Amino acid sequence: MAVTMRASSTPSRKRLPLAVAAAVATLTALWVLFAPGIRHVGVDAEGHALDGNLQSGMFVFNDHAQIGSEYWVALPPVSNTSKKPLMLLDAKITHVPKGLKVVEYRAVSAKDTEGHALIISTGGKHGMPDLAKLHDYAGQPIEVKSKTESDFYYSARVRVTGRVHENLTGCRFWYRQGSTKYHQDLGCTTEIRLGPHSRSRIE
């Protein structure tokens, strides 16, 4: 839906008063923002209810990666530090450097992985859980009660596509508390570097 305002070349026509034109433009903008089926962009507020606990300050690394390898990289398990419950909605890593690609995100239960698997190979190798076979809670609200750490955490499936010189950094979470949607950034750093075998292949 669009409203185009232009001056008429016919003398008998009257121009809309400026206040009326402004009102029409405002209503049009509101319709575009809140019309059914249109995603609401930029309407979430900056939140402060989440705490990334110890993982937000940890430096996770793997320096033996090979091109084509894939890893599950965990985002920090969050706590709700506020006095009201909230619903986690989504999460992502905000900076993905060249040489790495995020294939998908999943949300899993820490009970299914016997804790928080910080970085593990895909496929359930070396006795580690295969996150692809666990129940995925992403895409549905996850309740976190007041003053409580969530039993669920998000994990990114990351593929190594080439030489990597920078780290995966920054984790953004979206949540709803009451009728308001928030986003909040938490610190997180994961270093993935090629091992000697892969480095020699591309040098």
Side-chain angles (χ1 to χ4, degrees):
M1 177 179 181
V3 174
T4 302
M5 306 297 296
R6 64 179 180 179
S8 172
S9 59
T10 306
S12 60
R13 294 182 179 177
K14 295 182 179 180
R15 296 183 182 180
L16 286 174
L18 184 60
V20 175
V24 170
T26 301
L27 288 173
T28 301
L30 288 173
W31 185 91
V32 170
L33 182 60
F34 295 107
I38 297 179
R39 184 180 180 185
H40 302 171
V41 178
V43 296
D44 49 310
E46 184 174 356
H48 304 280
L50 302 179
D51 185 350
N53 304 300
L54 291 177
Q55 191 176 329
S56 282
M58 291 179 64
F59 187 88
V60 182
F61 67 93
N62 181 323
D63 57 1
H64 296 285
Q66 305 296 313
I67 294 176
S69 297
E70 292 188 354
Y71 302 93
W72 288 106
V73 175
L75 282 67
V78 297
S79 293
N80 176 8
T81 64
S82 73
K83 297 180 180 180
K84 298 180 180 179
L86 58 82
M87 305 296 287
L88 285 176
L89 303 175
D90 202 359
K92 73 171 185 178
I93 298 171
T94 55
H95 175 66
V96 181
K98 183 178 180 180
L100 299 176
K101 178 182 179 181
V102 174
V103 179
E104 65 172 317
Y105 288 94
R106 297 176 73 89
V108 297
S109 169
K111 296 178 181 178
D112 292 338
T113 57
E114 298 182 357
H116 300 97
L118 299 181
I119 178 169
I120 58 175
S121 298
T122 57
K125 300 175 184 177
H126 312 298
M128 301 301 291
D130 184 356
L131 270 63
K133 295 182 178 180
L134 300 180
H135 184 81
D136 182 16
Y137 296 88
Q140 65 187 68
I142 299 173
E143 182 179 11
V144 186
K145 296 181 179 179
S146 172
K147 307 296 182 180
T148 303
E149 180 177 336
S150 176
D151 289 330
F152 304 89
Y153 65 97
Y154 291 88
S155 193
R157 181 180 170 191
V158 177
R159 179 180 299 152
V160 181
T161 60
R163 185 183 289 279
V164 188
H165 295 287
E166 298 180 29
N167 299 333
L168 294 156
T169 56
C171 290
R172 173 164 290 191
F173 294 82
W174 286 265
Y175 64 93
R176 186 176 300 280
Q177 195 167 36
S179 59
T180 305
K181 181 181 177 183
Y182 298 90
H183 71 267
Q184 183 175 340
D185 293 338
L186 296 175
C188 59
T189 302
T190 301
E191 177 183 300
I192 296 177
R193 296 292 188 271
L194 297 182
H197 178 64
S198 271
R199 286 200 300 268
S200 64
R201 286 170 53 194
I202 61 177
E203 288 175 347

